[in-house]
């Protein structure tokens, strides 16, 4: 500040010296990092980068930006180690395209949008099929149902082939710990015990009260009178591994179990990093390391809530307390509220939709009291089996737009998802399925464990 004695006023003077010192400090830091990586910056390139980094307040942000620019430059063939303004601008534009915006970090994938793939038995690899413009129908054809079972079987079968305990060849003396995987077709005319051999197939009832084991080569009748089942719940049309012996063209199963679990890292290695989850193109182009680095840049929190009875004053009071606590958090933090039904405490008959609409209106009145949440929070609503949707089948369609209209009119960041749905946030993949699946499995299981502790959260 400068005081003018003649005019008796105080004037603001630009601190050009401080700006020059700050610019010189940024230049020295930038040149040092580029020099360590074997590059020299021309004056026009220095000016371009300094102008771009003038918007960064933190020194760590500038350093990360410089390192990202160098990473992009290293991937581009350069004729010289002296970088000009044109090469720097190209790397910055490429970097801006690679790093997704905040709106692209969070992706909700509906149940009917699934990447389709096929398994090549000869090459033992999966191939991603091109997406077609035709819409998926609610009632599929018989050929599509057949393809569903075939692809599911091949997905599990290729995992067994990659497992260290299984092989399609005859186990040698030096490798006696391996189990041979045989097809149902190879059992035709076979008599005797299956030593160090497992049969992989789908259990189905081709005849009433008679189970058969099916694979892509055929089917064989099973005898389960003396079968030892591994812990778990067994339902029809599930894929299992069977040990036993064959007599009179009947497979007498001595042991039935599930295929071994494969970790996500092993699956990605075997699938050549093929994306079977789905999502936008910008996210898929980044590898896991780049996505993990982005997670350090964006601070986010997911809040999963279920049985949100919007017709209950007690629940609305608790939600008000919840929103009040999160509104005091860091304003730069991304918040994702995932609400899954049921959204009403009881069934109201023909007034179900209108009462649910009033409940969402009351929820909107609570959220608008916190402008901070309205701007930075995302609200996702997933219906349950008792909520008002178009159909009553699985997968369930999203909530009726007319029901949630009072909420969406006041809170724009609102998404109506299917049940189940997939949520992708950078390197994280989340599947949300709001259903009492254990109850359904127990109701349709043909074998129940003797010990109820083997059933997760058994309450029936």
């Amino acid at each position: 500040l400068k005081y003018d004695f003649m005019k008796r006023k105080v004037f603001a003077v630009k601190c050009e010296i401080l700006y020059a010192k700050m610019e010189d400090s940024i230049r020295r830091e930038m040149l040092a990092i580029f020099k360590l990586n074997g590059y020299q910056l021309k004056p026009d390139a220095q000016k371009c980068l300094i102008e771009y980094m003038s918007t960064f307040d933190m020194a760590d942000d500038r350093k990360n930006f410089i390192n990202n620019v160098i990473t992009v430059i290293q991937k581009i063939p350069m004729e010289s180690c002296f970088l000009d303004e044109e090469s720097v601008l190209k790397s910055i534009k490429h970097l801006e395209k690679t790093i997704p915006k905040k709106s692209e970090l969070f992706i909700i994938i509906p149940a009917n949008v699934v990447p389709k793939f096929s398994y090549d038995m000869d090459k033992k690899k999966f191939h991603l099929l091109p997406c077609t413009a035709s819409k998926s129908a609610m009632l599929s054809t018989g050929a599509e149902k057949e393809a569903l079972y075939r692809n599911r079987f091949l997905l599990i079968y290729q995992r067994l082939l990659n497992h260290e305990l299984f092989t399609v060849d005859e186990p040698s003396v030096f490798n006696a710990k391996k189990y041979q995987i045989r097809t149902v077709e190879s059992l035709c005319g076979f008599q005797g015990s299956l030593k160090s051999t497992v049969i992989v197939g789908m259990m189905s009832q081709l005849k009433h009260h008679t189970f058969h084991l099916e694979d892509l080569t055929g089917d064989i009748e099973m005898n389960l009178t003396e079968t030892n089942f591994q812990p778990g719940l067994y339902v029809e049309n599930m894929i299992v591994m069977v040990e036993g012996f064959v007599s009179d063209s009947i497979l007498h199963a001595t042991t039935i179990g599930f295929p071994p679990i494969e970790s996500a890292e092993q699956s990605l290695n075997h699938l050549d990093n093929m994306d079977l989850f789905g999502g936008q193109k910008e996210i898929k182009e980044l590898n896991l390391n780049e996505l993990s680095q982005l997670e350090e840049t964006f601070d986010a929190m997911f809040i999963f809530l279920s049985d949100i009875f919007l017709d209950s004053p007690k629940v609305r009071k608790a939600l008000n307390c919840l929103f009040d606590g999160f509104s005091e958090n860091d304003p730069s933090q991304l918040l994702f509220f995932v609400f899954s039904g049921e959204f009403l405490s009881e069934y109201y008959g023909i007034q179900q939709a209108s009462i649910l609409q009033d409940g969402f209106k009351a929820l909107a009145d609570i959220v608008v009291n916190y402008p901070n949440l309205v701007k930075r929070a995302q609200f996702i609503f997933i219906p349950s089996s008792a909520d008002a949707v178009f159909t009553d089948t699985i997968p369930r369609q999203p909530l009726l737009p007319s029901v949630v209209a009072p909420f969406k009119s006041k809170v724009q960041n609102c998404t109506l998802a299917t049940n189940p749905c997939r949520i992708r946030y950078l390197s994280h993949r989340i599947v949300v399925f709001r259903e009492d699946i254990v109850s359904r499995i127990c109701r349709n299981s043909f074998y129940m464990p003797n010990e109820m502790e083997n059933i997760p959260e058994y309450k029936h």
Side-chain angles (χ1 to χ4, degrees), residues 10 30 86 127 135 158 163 174 190-191 206 208 213 246 261 318 448:
V10 178
M30 177 180 63
E86 183 180 357
H127 299 284
K135 295 183 179 179
Q158 63 87 22
H163 199 276
F174 302 100
F190 181 84
Q191 294 286 337
L206 300 183
H208 188 57
L213 189 69
V246 179
I261 299 174
M448 294 289 292

Side-chain angles (χ1 to χ4, degrees), residues 171-320:
S172 62
V173 179
F174 302 100
N175 199 7
K177 292 184 179 180
K178 281 185 173 290
Y179 287 85
Q180 181 189 9
I181 300 177
R182 296 187 61 170
T183 61
V184 172
E185 185 182 27
S186 65
L187 300 180
C188 295
F190 181 84
Q191 294 286 337
S193 176
L194 301 171
K195 296 182 179 180
S196 299
T197 303
V198 294
I199 312 298
V200 181
M202 182 180 71
M203 295 188 65
S204 59
Q205 291 194 60
L206 300 183
K207 299 179 182 178
H208 188 57
H209 291 307
T210 303
F211 280 96
H212 287 70
L213 189 69
E214 293 185 79
D215 65 2
L216 300 182
T217 62
D219 64 90
I220 186 172
E221 185 179 342
M222 300 180 66
N223 187 345
L224 306 178
T225 54
E226 298 181 358
T227 303
N228 177 28
F229 287 89
Q230 298 297 323
L233 297 172
Y234 293 83
V235 296
E236 190 178 349
N237 295 330
M238 75 183 318
I239 297 175
V240 295
M241 297 190 307
V242 181
E243 290 183 290
F245 62 93
V246 179
S247 177
D248 297 331
S249 299
I250 297 177
L251 176 60
H252 297 263
T254 56
T255 305
I256 293 181
F258 297 110
I261 299 174
E262 186 178 73
S263 65
E265 295 180 355
Q266 292 174 336
S267 298
L268 290 175
N269 292 333
H270 297 321
L271 298 174
D272 295 331
N273 291 323
M274 182 184 297
D275 181 39
L276 303 181
F277 194 80
Q280 290 183 352
K281 182 179 179 181
E282 291 80 0
I283 298 294
K284 289 192 288 186
E285 288 179 348
L286 301 176
N287 56 39
L288 292 178
N289 293 330
E290 293 172 336
L291 292 174
S292 300
Q293 292 177 1
L294 286 176
E295 290 174 4
E296 299 177 358
T297 305
F298 300 99
D299 185 17
M301 179 180 293
F302 283 82
I303 302 97
F304 292 89
L305 303 171
S306 63
D307 293 331
I308 310 299
F309 300 143
L310 299 179
D311 58 336
S312 172
K314 183 179 179 180
V315 173
R316 293 198 296 266
K317 183 179 179 181
L319 288 174
N320 194 7

Side-chain angles (χ1 to χ4, degrees), residues 43 50 56 60 90 112 131 137 237 263 300 360 396 408 428 444:
I50 291 175
F56 297 154
D60 292 339
K90 284 183 179 179
N112 58 340
C131 298
N237 295 330
S263 65
F360 277 104
R396 296 184 64 80
K408 296 192 71 173
H428 297 282
N444 296 279

Side-chain angles (χ1 to χ4, degrees), residues 2 20 30 75 93 148 191 276:
K2 182 179 179 181
M30 177 180 63
K75 297 179 181 179
K93 289 181 180 179
L148 183 146
Q191 294 286 337
L276 303 181

Side-chain angles (χ1 to χ4, degrees), residues 130-142:
C131 298
T132 57
S134 60
K135 295 183 179 179
S136 57
M138 180 64 67
L139 300 177
S140 302
T141 61

